[in-house]
Amino acid sequence: MRLLNRYVISQLSICTIYALLALISLYSFFDIMGEISHVGDGRYTADKMLFYVLLLIPTHAYELMPLAVLVGALVCLNQMASHSEFTVIRTSGISLASIIGMMLQFGLMFAIIAALLGEYVVPKTGPYAEQYQLHARQNTISAGDSGIWLKQGQDIVNVAEMLPDGSLKDISIYRHDDQFHLSETLHAASANVDVHTQAGKQTKWHLHQVDQSILQAHQIVVNHLENVDWHMSINHQLLNILLVAPEQMSIIALSTYIKHLKNNHQQIIRYELAWWRKIAYPLACIVMALVALAFTPQQNRRGNMGLKLFYGICLGLFFHFSGRLFGFTSQLYGVPTPVAAFLPTLLFLGLAVYLIRRQEKR
């Protein structure tokens, strides 16, 4: 029994890895097609574009893991059925409960891999990939742990944080003279970017609670200003690099950021939904393993086999995109975030249990 268990799980794992590699290759091809038109912007060369695409692979692996588990398991189990291995397993006295146990172990293994990717790898590679691309394409912009740094003429600007509503926090502006000697500093507690008021390519920033320091020959003049309007020739969309996608944050980081947003009276639904999805998403690998078992034909009929394989893959694609659909319903219609996060997985679990029981009765 232990030898059979190892054999089945190893075959399932090999097929799943192949499926994951195929899906990642497909997504990477689409990434290259989307980025190739930007090659030549600033210092964005073909080598840097390929490195950026490589940095996106962990994110794709995490997002595609349940789909890869389903496709890999479907292919493996259908191959076993076509070679009569599945029939031999059943007729040799192996119960359905034992087979389900094998599928649960297989799904749990990839669920752990998905959880580790989502908690430790994607939160590092995802934001770094976006920062790397931005820095390569925009010579006057760089991003790091201290926020985003911008250069406009003789001014150097640092923005520490961007909140979900588009407002900025902790803005520091360093102005220099023609000899590039520091002449003035401004520090604003917050700012709002007026995206509708533009002069050419310039966007107006409304700075609030500003501390101004003017460096003169023998003294420093310090002023406190309630509001200052300041023009910046940086497109507002470029500042979105500061707003890390909640899907690229770890559970611990999401918990901290949700608390931070509550203190700033910001909307937290999107981040709460991402927190619950981080919990529910690895479980989808286990459910997809059961769905694959439900779509495995019990008899060696190739027409039936190919049809079930097709239906199973279509179902996996539907699950892959249904998570976003339920996320939108949570934000639009006020569906509780735990329900929106777990409902797709629970629905597919119920479908898998129903189909397995129906198939067993036949």
Side-chain angles (χ1 to χ4, degrees):
M1 180 64 182
R2 182 175 298 177
L3 183 62
L4 177 63
N5 194 68
R6 284 205 301 265
Y7 171 74
V8 172
I9 293 177
S10 64
Q11 293 300 308
L12 288 167
S13 300
I14 290 171
C15 288
T16 299
I17 291 172
Y18 283 146
L20 183 61
L21 290 175
L23 290 169
I24 289 175
S25 299
L26 181 62
Y27 270 62
S28 296
F29 173 76
F30 290 146
D31 288 336
I32 292 174
M33 291 298 99
E35 290 296 318
I36 199 167
S37 62
H38 299 299
V39 172
D41 294 349
R43 295 173 295 175
Y44 198 50
T45 61
D47 292 342
K48 291 184 177 181
M49 182 267 289
L50 291 175
F51 183 65
Y52 168 69
V53 171
L54 287 175
L55 289 174
L56 296 178
I57 287 179
T59 301
H60 292 327
Y62 174 72
E63 294 174 345
L64 295 168
M65 191 69 72
L67 180 59
V69 167
L70 176 62
V71 174
L74 277 171
V75 172
C76 179
L77 292 176
N78 278 271
Q79 284 181 347
M80 293 176 68
S82 66
H83 298 152
S84 300
E85 291 178 276
F86 199 83
T87 304
V88 171
I89 291 173
R90 293 304 308 270
T91 57
S92 63
I94 304 299
S95 65
L96 178 63
S98 298
I99 296 176
I100 291 175
M102 296 178 193
M103 300 305 296
L104 291 177
Q105 292 178 54
F106 155 69
L108 179 62
M109 181 172 64
F110 281 90
I112 292 173
I113 295 174
L116 292 175
L117 280 174
E119 189 67 14
Y120 298 106
V121 181
V122 174
K124 296 183 181 298
T125 58
Y128 178 74
E130 301 304 324
Q131 294 174 9
Y132 177 84
Q133 186 214 41
L134 178 67
H135 184 57
R137 290 178 58 187
Q138 301 287 334
N139 293 329
T140 59
I141 300 178
S142 63
D145 294 337
S146 59
I148 192 169
W149 289 87
L150 319 169
K151 187 175 185 298
Q152 176 180 265
Q154 302 295 92
D155 298 342
I156 296 177
V157 185
N158 174 246
V159 183
E161 183 180 2
M162 183 176 183
L163 294 175
D165 64 351
S167 62
L168 310 176
K169 296 194 68 177
D170 293 335
I171 305 97
S172 297
I173 302 171
Y174 303 91
R175 290 179 170 172
H176 300 78
D177 57 22
D178 294 337
Q179 287 74 39
F180 212 74
H181 296 145
L182 184 64
S183 61
E184 181 183 354
T185 65
L186 298 170
H187 181 268
S190 62
N192 299 102
V193 181
D194 189 352
V195 296
H196 302 293
T197 304
Q198 295 186 346
K201 293 185 178 180
Q202 290 200 336
T203 304
K204 184 183 292 185
W205 291 20
H206 303 288
L207 308 177
H208 311 295
Q209 301 298 319
V210 181
D211 291 323
Q212 179 190 45
S213 299
I214 302 174
L215 281 69
Q216 298 180 351
H218 302 291
Q219 63 178 345
I220 299 175
V221 178
V222 179
N223 300 312
H224 179 77
L225 308 172
E226 290 294 327
N227 299 288
V228 174
D229 288 341
W230 187 67
H231 291 280
M232 185 70 183
S233 61
I234 297 297
N235 193 310
H236 181 255
Q237 281 71 28
L238 296 177
L239 295 172
N240 288 332
I241 193 67
L242 287 169
L243 193 61
V244 179
E247 293 77 16
Q248 295 179 343
M249 300 172 70
S250 66
I251 293 177
I252 296 175
L254 279 169
S255 300
T256 304
Y257 197 60
I258 288 171
K259 183 179 179 181
H260 170 69
L261 292 178
K262 286 181 178 178
N263 293 335
N264 285 275
H265 308 290
Q266 298 287 310
Q267 290 289 334
I268 61 172
I269 293 178
R270 185 184 174 194
Y271 293 86
E272 277 190 338
L273 179 63
W275 191 93
W276 283 107
R277 288 193 68 187
K278 285 282 185 178
I279 303 296
Y281 199 70
L283 300 178
C285 295
I286 301 174
V287 173
M288 290 298 104
L290 296 178
V291 171
L293 179 61
F295 279 85
T296 300
Q298 300 296 311
Q299 299 177 353
N300 186 4
R301 294 183 298 183
R302 290 195 175 272
N304 183 35
M305 189 179 305
L307 193 60
K308 285 203 168 187
L309 182 61
F310 174 75
Y311 286 156
I313 293 175
C314 289
L315 197 65
L317 291 172
F318 176 74
F319 175 83
H320 180 67
F321 294 106
S322 64
R324 297 180 181 180
L325 175 64
F326 280 91
F328 291 142
T329 59
S330 175
Q331 298 180 56
L332 291 175
Y333 302 109
V335 178
T337 51
V339 175
F342 278 95
L343 190 57
T345 302
L346 294 177
L347 289 176
F348 274 74
L349 175 61
L351 177 64
V353 171
Y354 168 75
L355 292 176
I356 291 173
R357 291 186 63 181
R358 181 183 176 185
Q359 194 174 72
E360 186 66 14
K361 288 178 181 180
R362 291 181 178 180

